[in-house]
Amino acid sequence: MSQVDSTSPPIGGSILGHPVKRTEDVRLITGAGRYADDVAPSPDGLYAVFVRSTLAHARIRSVDSSAAEAMPEVVAVHTAASLELGARKGFPGIADTFDRPELSPDRVRFVGEPVAVVVATSRAAAEDAAEQVLVDYEQLPAVVDPQAALAPDAPILFDAAGSNVCHESGAGEDDPLAGAEVTVRLEFRNQRVAPAPMEANALVAQPDPANDGLTVWASSQGAFAVRGAVCRSLGLPPERVRVLSPDVGGGFGAKFGVYPEQIIVAALAHRLGRQVRWAETRSENLVNMYHGRGQVQELELGAKRDGMLVGLRLRILQDAGAYPQISAWLPNLTGMMMSGVYRLPRAQWKGTSVVTNTTPVSAYRGAGRPEAAALIERAMDLLAAETGLDPAEVRRRNFLDRDAFPLTTTTGAAYDSGDYRAALDRALELAGYEQLRREQAERRARGDRRQLGVGLSTYVEITGGGAPEEYGGVRVAPDGAVTVWAGTTPNGQGHETTFAQLAAERLQVPMSSVSVIHSDTAAVRWGFGSVGSRSMQMGGSAVNDACIEVIEQARKLAAELLEVDAADLEVAQGGLRVRGVPTSAVGWADLAARAGGEGLRADLNFKQRGPTFPFGAHVAVVEVDLETGDTRLLRHIAVDDCGTVLNPLLVQGQQHGGVAQGVAQALFEEVVIDAEGTPRTASFLDYGIPTANEIPSVMADGTVTPTPLNALGVKGIGESGTIGAGPAVHNAVLDAMAHLGVRHIDMPLTPEKVWRAVRSAPAD
């Protein structure tokens, strides 16, 4: 694949659609990146370390901080009583009963919940002092399993609620399986996983004496979200709080939420009048950063004997953790997307979300959509087995037709565009599907120890939902320099490259003349942030429209200068020219100077009419050792369709990263919490993050089906790989054992689980 030199102007065609290298990478791979904890300490700066609960459920009898306060370098020790920050409202639609305090005043509900905070002049001193804070607990019975949380005798986490149910939802027909000739049933557990970004949570807060405010550096996916939470908690107006999200070492959705520690550190800096900084350790991160997934699903899929679907009934039990976040609402997304890429005449779903004595669950790469893809794709494989059809054929028979779009599914999703058959056909072609099936049959006939498994996943997901508006601004200065302002907050996606690429194309200038400003609430007028695979379709569309508005401003000025009709002008190399008369032109610098002031500028909010629905097909090829249970992923083919592709290099990067996280959940990762609520996976020694040794080279490909909902035709891509990869790998491992009668194993498919399934398989 040829690559475009980002310093050169687009010559002989559009720079869009070409694999431009990320301009951010120079600083990131040379160690010049600047993360929150890299902010220079002030001479009188302080460090915050949190005292965390060692019990999953307990009443706090007392907190004795006298020994800690007497230690050298300790400036203060605070509890909920001394900070008086109160509680923060949870997700909309969740009762106030379940609101979370910034510091727990009287009761802890999960191991790792902050109880007190120590502030000292060095991190080491703060850590030592935190160990000397004595908390007297009255241990209470804990409930860590969502099914156990529904039991009549289950411990109640919030007395005023009367039960552990924090949200209920559902929709659909009374009897979705009427007329089914074949029914497959399955209880499916989508395990709890930890986001585990390379950079853990961190925040630095610096008082600003000029306006009695704060400057905050936060490792976050939404700088304006952090500012809003700090302002609400401290009672400060927005103009007195500046939040910057510098380089962010991964987020995966978990860094879009605002954490109590972030509010507390900001409050301490404001109260003490000194810089205060906080950075999680890895063990803190694994028990404190919001977890993902945590669903138990019971499904019944009905079909005719020829494999044509009749209906689907689904019951979702969502583990929300100790304090409900968006997790309590995730069953709504799973229910809406449960029909996947298929014609499903009837559907019914019910979601129940419960609180447990565990780390809160929130959005994690996919947020409800991987759970939907996992359940329907497992069900389709089971249906193929019941009807004797090939897994690819049973999918083809039930695909929504490409000519049917736009359409609204039985479950209420308004799909914009799609061509599901094309994606599957391409994936099967790249995989050499027929040859793989022949090799599989040969291994089975020989009784090989290592069996081949081939897994399919055809998925659709929703992107840009829930946040349909984003800010973008563009300015051409009198010296010809172009500045782009973006409301998104990148955390590894490459926005500085793609937004500059887009502006360079629209204005026909070199990328090197374009600067991109983002993630700074003092420099950017507004922004929602980066979450839900929305950045290019929302933020990119805003930048695109701002470029168009700047061009229109320039067109009027150029028409006066060149004494021509504005309609006869076109954007050319470095400015505007009369169409068909290359010598009659005026450059951007001259036009910006004529505009006066700061030059040509446009600021706007782009609002999309609805979410977009990327889709794709994945094929996973695995080898399973039937004697040891060891599973190796040999090949993975990802054909993802995100509409128009502006930079294929960056799209492929998202595909590779997404696939790695989907594979990780299918084979390796699981948060383990014992019956008393104690985490057993609080370090990378215990939590199974895969390395490059476990992830093969991914064959990343795609089809292109533009969306009509924005002028660029783009859809999201950030979460697609995860949504497509997990079910494909899961199906592949089970396919390798299908001839033994193994029907299902819950993720992760560890060697022990596979070994036990083989040993307990039905006899021939």
Side-chain angles (χ1 to χ4, degrees):
M1 179 181 292
S2 63
Q3 295 182 342
V4 175
D5 180 356
S6 62
T7 64
S8 302
I11 298 174
S14 175
I15 196 174
L16 301 181
H18 291 287
V20 178
K21 290 182 178 180
R22 291 179 11 145
T23 56
E24 300 94 325
D25 285 350
V26 175
R27 70 172 186 271
L28 296 178
I29 65 178
T30 59
R34 189 167 184 258
Y35 299 86
D37 202 35
D38 291 327
V39 173
S42 356
D44 65 344
L46 303 172
Y47 295 80
V49 170
F50 288 85
V51 179
R52 300 185 181 276
S53 172
T54 57
L55 297 175
H57 198 194
R59 289 193 179 89
I60 300 174
R61 290 196 182 107
S62 64
V63 179
D64 182 359
S65 60
S66 57
E69 290 170 336
M71 294 178 69
E73 297 189 56
V74 173
V75 173
V77 180
H78 284 286
T79 63
S82 58
L83 275 182
E84 298 181 335
L85 291 176
R88 184 151 37 94
K89 176 65 181 166
F91 195 75
I94 309 301
D96 295 349
T97 307
F98 300 100
D99 288 355
R100 178 178 181 176
E102 305 293 10
L103 277 179
S104 180
D106 51 18
R107 188 168 174 175
V108 291
R109 295 180 173 88
F110 72 97
V111 171
E113 182 170 1
V115 174
V117 59
V118 176
V119 186
T121 56
S122 72
R123 186 168 288 160
E127 290 172 349
D128 290 344
E131 293 180 357
Q132 298 303 312
V133 176
L134 302 178
V135 184
D136 183 13
Y137 295 106
E138 176 192 347
Q139 188 167 3
L140 300 171
V143 58
V144 300
D145 182 87
Q147 291 171 311
L150 289 173
D153 59 347
I156 303 300
L157 272 66
F158 295 83
D159 296 334
S163 81
N164 291 319
V165 176
C166 58
H167 185 65
E168 291 184 293
S169 52
E173 302 182 22
D174 292 337
D175 188 7
L177 305 181
E181 297 170 345
V182 178
T183 303
V184 295
R185 295 177 175 84
L186 179 68
E187 181 176 306
F188 183 83
R189 185 174 291 266
N190 212 291
Q191 82 272 29
R192 176 186 285 246
V193 292
M198 285 191 292
E199 180 196 17
N201 266 328
L203 183 136
V204 178
Q206 173 75 48
D208 184 353
N211 64 358
D212 192 28
L214 287 170
T215 299
V216 174
W217 294 265
S219 181
S220 170
Q221 295 173 236
F224 283 87
V226 174
R227 186 184 73 172
V230 169
C231 289
R232 287 190 295 273
S233 184
L234 304 188
L236 296 174
E239 60 270 18
R240 286 171 56 189
V241 177
R242 178 187 183 187
V243 175
L244 302 95
S245 288
D247 291 321
V248 177
F252 311 125
K255 284 186 183 175
F256 191 74
V258 180
Y259 289 80
E261 293 89 343
Q262 295 172 320
I263 302 299
I264 293 165
V265 170
L268 290 169
H270 188 58
R271 182 174 299 188
L272 297 172
R274 296 165 70 177
Q275 183 193 83
V276 181
R277 60 197 308 123
W278 162 72
E280 284 179 328
T281 66
R282 179 55 61 185
S283 289
E284 280 184 302
N285 178 263
L286 285 169
V287 301
N288 185 63
M289 179 170 274
Y290 300 140
H291 290 163
R293 314 294 186 246
Q295 273 193 15
V296 179
Q297 304 155 341
E298 296 179 40
L299 65 92
E300 299 172 278
L301 181 67
K304 298 294 185 180
R305 296 198 184 279
D306 62 0
M308 299 300 294
L309 297 182
V310 168
L312 174 62
R313 177 184 289 126
L314 175 65
R315 289 172 288 279
I316 305 168
L317 178 59
Q318 175 69 54
D319 184 354
Y323 298 97
Q325 305 290 321
I326 190 177
S327 56
W329 191 82
L330 288 182
N332 296 61
L333 272 175
T334 302
M336 184 173 69
M337 297 304 299
M338 72 182 191
S339 62
V341 295
Y342 308 113
R343 290 188 303 273
L344 188 68
R346 293 191 295 274
Q348 179 197 79
W349 67 273
K350 179 182 179 182
T352 303
S353 299
V354 296
V355 289
T356 60
N357 292 116
T358 59
T359 302
V361 175
S362 190
Y364 168 64
R365 205 165 192 168
R369 291 102 76 197
E371 296 88 326
L375 71 91
I376 189 62
E377 290 306 291
R378 278 299 303 128
M380 293 302 285
D381 262 29
L382 291 172
L383 178 60
E386 288 290 328
T387 58
L389 293 169
D390 183 271
E393 179 58 26
V394 78
R395 286 170 169 80
R396 283 195 184 98
R397 292 188 183 188
N398 288 285
F399 279 152
L400 291 163
D401 190 81
R402 67 177 183 179
D403 296 328
F405 296 90
L407 60 86
T408 299
T409 68
T410 309
T411 53
Y415 289 2
D416 53 342
S417 62
D419 190 349
Y420 306 142
R421 183 180 295 270
L424 178 59
D425 288 347
R426 178 62 175 160
L428 296 179
E429 175 191 356
L430 292 172
Y433 186 67
E434 298 301 328
Q435 175 59 35
L436 288 171
R437 287 300 183 196
R438 285 193 292 270
E439 181 182 349
Q440 180 184 63
E442 291 168 1
R443 291 196 190 196
R444 288 179 178 177
R446 292 193 303 262
D448 286 2
R449 170 179 170 175
R450 292 182 175 86
Q451 288 293 322
L452 197 68
V454 183
L456 307 183
S457 168
T458 48
Y459 74 92
V460 61
E461 70 135 331
I462 179 173
T463 63
E469 192 169 351
E470 189 53 272
Y471 162 79
V474 173
R475 181 186 70 184
V476 180
D479 63 358
V482 177
T483 303
V484 170
W485 288 271
T488 57
T489 301
N491 45 98
Q493 298 91 341
H495 295 177
E496 292 174 26
T497 302
T498 48
F499 291 158
Q501 193 177 351
L502 180 58
E505 166 62 21
R506 291 291 178 258
L507 302 178
Q508 289 291 288
V509 297
M511 277 185 65
S512 57
S513 70
V514 182
S515 301
V516 179
I517 297 174
H518 58 83
S519 310
D520 181 348
T521 63
V524 179
R525 296 191 178 186
W526 176 79
F528 188 87
S530 295
V531 66
S533 300
R534 64 186 297 278
S535 294
M536 186 49 63
Q537 60 185 303
M538 302 295 185
S541 292
V543 170
N544 182 69
D545 288 359
C547 285
I548 292 172
E549 187 172 320
V550 163
I551 291 169
E552 289 307 307
Q553 295 173 14
R555 194 184 300 275
K556 295 176 182 177
L557 296 172
E560 295 175 2
L561 282 169
L562 300 175
E563 298 181 343
V564 297
D565 192 297
D568 294 331
L569 293 169
E570 64 181 2
V571 180
Q573 290 296 111
L576 271 68
R577 70 184 181 191
V578 179
R579 191 175 287 106
V581 189
T583 56
S584 183
V586 58
W588 283 114
D590 292 336
L591 290 167
R594 186 172 179 83
E598 61 176 352
L600 300 162
R601 178 160 182 168
D603 296 272
L604 54 85
N605 291 345
F606 171 80
K607 189 167 186 178
Q608 193 163 271
R609 300 195 304 275
T612 60
F613 292 82
F615 61 91
H618 286 215
V619 179
V621 184
V622 304
E623 192 174 65
V624 176
D625 188 324
L626 299 183
E627 293 188 12
T628 66
D630 182 58
T631 295
R632 300 296 172 95
L633 179 62
L634 304 179
R635 297 171 59 201
H636 194 95
I637 296 90
V639 176
D640 298 308
D641 193 314
C642 59
T644 303
V645 175
L646 301 187
N647 189 331
L649 194 65
L650 270 64
V651 167
Q652 288 178 3
Q654 291 296 311
Q655 288 178 286
H656 281 252
V659 166
Q661 287 184 282
V663 172
Q665 183 179 1
L667 297 180
F668 306 108
E669 294 188 23
E670 181 178 24
V671 171
V672 178
I673 300 171
D674 69 17
E676 294 187 349
T678 303
R680 297 301 186 190
T681 47
S683 77
F684 283 160
L685 292 174
D686 303 300
Y687 187 76
I689 292 282
T691 69
N693 290 330
E694 288 77 43
I695 307 293
S697 179
V698 176
M699 183 180 289
D701 201 84
T703 57
V704 177
T705 310
T707 179
L709 298 181
N710 61 67
L712 297 174
V714 299
K715 306 182 184 185
I717 187 61
E719 295 158 297
S720 293
T722 302
I723 295 167
V729 175
H730 196 178
N731 284 338
V733 178
L734 291 163
D735 180 63
M737 299 177 285
H739 64 295
L740 303 177
V742 177
R743 186 170 180 267
H744 183 74
I745 307 171
D746 276 331
M747 300 183 292
L749 288 89
T750 59
E752 180 182 357
K753 283 185 180 180
V754 172
W755 181 83
R756 290 186 182 280
V758 171
R759 292 298 173 272
S760 60
D764 290 339

